[in-house]
Amino acid sequence: MHNYFVYILECSDKSYYVGVTNDLETRLSEHNNGENVFAYTFSRKPVVLMYYQRFDQIEDAIDFEKQVKGWSRKKKEALFKEDWDEILRLSNYKN
């Protein structure tokens, strides 16, 4: 069995970062230690893990990561609460 994780971090500037990894604990440490000067989170430390979901298949994890990256802030925040009714409502909302 494989473990892949889609995760959402809240950065120090209150923005959200969505990523995928096969080692959530190590990846979170890398974000907070600033191991990549070109990373979005490098100048936005510390980061806090707000949500994660585990997948068996990397393709499923990547598909979900891409989907969530396109979501609004409010929709991501509904995901943190696992408020599926709100996620559905926001999915149907048109500006």
Side-chain angles (χ1 to χ4, degrees):
M1 179 178 293
H2 297 284
N3 286 309
Y4 302 100
F5 301 90
V6 173
Y7 62 95
I8 303 175
L9 305 176
E10 182 179 56
C11 301
S12 63
D13 65 358
K14 302 300 181 193
S15 64
Y16 294 130
Y17 174 83
V18 180
V20 66
T21 185
N22 64 350
D23 186 338
L24 188 57
E25 188 174 319
T26 297
R27 190 67 184 113
L28 183 58
S29 178
E30 290 171 350
H31 281 292
N32 273 316
N33 292 332
E35 300 205 6
N36 180 353
V37 298
F38 300 108
Y40 177 83
T41 58
F42 183 80
S43 63
R44 294 171 172 89
K45 299 181 300 280
V47 299
V48 176
L49 181 64
M50 299 299 290
Y51 178 85
Y52 71 91
Q53 185 171 335
R54 192 190 72 75
F55 294 85
D56 291 326
Q57 301 296 320
I58 187 62
E59 297 84 5
D60 296 334
I62 291 169
D63 287 347
F64 187 63
E65 177 199 26
K66 288 178 182 178
Q67 180 181 17
V68 172
K69 280 186 175 185
W71 286 6
S72 68
R73 180 177 188 86
K74 286 184 179 185
K75 198 168 176 181
K76 289 172 186 164
E77 289 169 350
L79 182 63
F80 303 159
K81 300 177 213 170
E82 297 184 346
D83 185 345
W84 308 114
D85 290 335
E86 182 66 359
I87 291 170
L88 182 60
R89 187 188 73 76
L90 291 167
S91 294
N92 293 324
Y93 180 75
K94 303 289 182 207
N95 289 338

